[in-house]
């Protein structure tokens, strides 16, 4: 099976390449960055992909700086929606599987504060979520053999491209520098390791799961405050974490107060998925061992 991976220099792309190389029976992966294909130029996508041989296209590209996206909606819909449609079209022509990475931000809030399942009705609150939801819809409309993995609140050793490091690294840095951190306590999500998602993707391909939408997150949920407290404690940093309300930390983009995802549909097909606490432990061990 030949895989073409787009966005290989991001947190998730980096870990897909790494975990595949560590597996007993690795896939053949072509790892592309923007140097090979700039998806913001739609005309390039079809002509470039048609020249390349692959059985699976994994799309980890995204315009994901949530607040920036609010100021650049045109670019967001090009990258997160119309480029995705072009990829799906080429996959249909090649009879290739298309595996596309989406987000929990396609949702508003869970009405009963229980993890959202794939059947929950999307209702994005910001342009990033709206553009990613359109990407989901367009790709499924043009190509039946599309798998969509919705992910959330990612942390990986490669850091978040364009964000100056992921949330874990930011908490560690601020904790060391200031000794006090104020973190939002009224937004609940699913903290998720990109190593875990990489393993989910590779296992899904090996088990040949059906096309459709899956929530690919670590098991469990937390507020950003709870997540930060765990990070500081596990990293053994002498810092105090204080809870604040989202209203005290204004941002350009509106974010849901509860967007934790249920991963049970995917777990039934590929096996047990680690908790976010286990994933954080593994992340810190790997980071400190580098």
């Amino acid at each position: 099976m030949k895989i073409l991976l787009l966005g290989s220099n991001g947190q998730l792309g980096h870990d897909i390449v790494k975990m595949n190389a560590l597996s007993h029976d690795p896939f053949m992966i072509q790892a592309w960055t923007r140097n090979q294909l700039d998806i913001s130029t739609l005309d390039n996508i079809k002509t470039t992909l048609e020249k390349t041989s692959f059985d699976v296209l994994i799309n980890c590209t995204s315009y994901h700086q949530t607040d920036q996206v609010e100021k650049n909606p045109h670019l967001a819909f090009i990258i997160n929606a119309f480029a995705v449609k072009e990829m799906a079209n080429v996959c249909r022509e090649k009879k290739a599987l298309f595996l596309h990475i989406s987000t929990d931000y396609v949702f508003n809030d869970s009405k009963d504060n229980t993890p959202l399942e794939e059947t929950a009705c999307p209702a994005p609150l910001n342009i990033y979520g709206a553009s990613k939801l359109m990407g989901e819809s367009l790709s499924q409309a043009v190509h039946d053999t599309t798998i969509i993995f919705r992910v959330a609140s990612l942390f990986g050793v490669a850091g978040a491209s364009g964000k100056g490091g992921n949330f874990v690294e930011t908490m560690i840095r601020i904790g060391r520098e200031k000794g006090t951190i104020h973190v939002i306590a009224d937004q609940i999500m699913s903290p998720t390791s990109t190593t875990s998602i990489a393993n989910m993707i590779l296992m899904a391909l090996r088990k040949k799961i059906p096309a459709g939408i899956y929530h690919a997150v670590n098991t469990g949920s937390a507020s950003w405050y709870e997540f930060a407290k765990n990070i500081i404690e596990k990293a053994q940093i002498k810092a105090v974490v204080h809870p604040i309300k989202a209203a005290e930390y204004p941002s350009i983009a509106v974010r849901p107060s509860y967007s934790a995802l249920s991963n049970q549909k995917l777990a039934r097909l590929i096996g047990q998925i680690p908790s976010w606490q286990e994933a954080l432990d593994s992340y810190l061990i790997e980071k400190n061992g580098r």
Side-chain angles (χ1 to χ4, degrees), residues 3 6 158 172 223 250:
I3 298 173
L6 303 183
I172 290 173
S223 69

Side-chain angles (χ1 to χ4, degrees), residues 208-227:
K208 298 180 179 179
I209 69 171
I213 298 175
Y214 299 90
H215 290 170
V217 293
N218 282 124
T219 302
S221 61
S223 69
W224 291 105
Y225 166 71
E226 291 168 328
F227 188 26

Side-chain angles (χ1 to χ4, degrees), residues 156-289:
V157 293
S161 175
K163 291 186 176 180
N166 59 49
F167 183 79
V168 178
E169 297 309 315
T170 300
M171 292 301 99
I172 290 173
R173 176 178 54 80
I174 295 175
R176 284 174 174 159
E177 290 176 357
K178 299 185 177 180
T180 302
I181 314 173
H182 295 84
V183 186
I184 293 171
D186 55 354
Q187 290 178 351
I188 311 297
M189 43 73 208
S190 298
T192 302
S193 154
T194 50
T195 296
S196 293
I197 300 171
N199 284 326
M200 293 180 218
I201 289 171
L202 296 172
M203 184 62 72
L205 293 176
R206 289 193 178 94
K207 289 186 173 288
K208 298 180 179 179
I209 69 171
I213 298 175
Y214 299 90
H215 290 170
V217 293
N218 282 124
T219 302
S221 61
S223 69
W224 291 105
Y225 166 71
E226 291 168 328
F227 188 26
K229 278 196 70 177
N230 268 263
I231 293 165
I232 294 301
E233 289 169 6
K234 290 176 185 291
Q236 298 182 337
I237 293 171
K238 294 180 179 179
V240 179
V241 185
H242 296 286
I244 62 171
K245 294 183 180 296
E248 299 176 60
Y249 189 80
S251 61
I252 298 170
V254 178
R255 291 164 171 80
S257 62
Y258 189 103
S259 61
L261 303 179
S262 168
N263 61 17
Q264 290 306 296
K265 177 182 176 182
L266 183 58
R268 285 192 291 269
L269 295 174
I270 67 170
Q272 186 175 357
I273 297 171
S275 70
W276 65 263
Q277 294 94 332
E278 293 171 304
L280 178 59
D281 287 339
S282 297
Y283 170 89
L284 292 172
I285 290 170
E286 179 181 3
K287 174 181 170 290
N288 291 331

Side-chain angles (χ1 to χ4, degrees), residues 107 114-121 150 215 260-262 264 268:
F107 292 112
T114 57
L116 292 148
E117 298 184 351
E118 291 80 356
T119 52
C121 183
R150 290 176 180 152
H215 290 170
L261 303 179
S262 168
Q264 290 306 296
R268 285 192 291 269

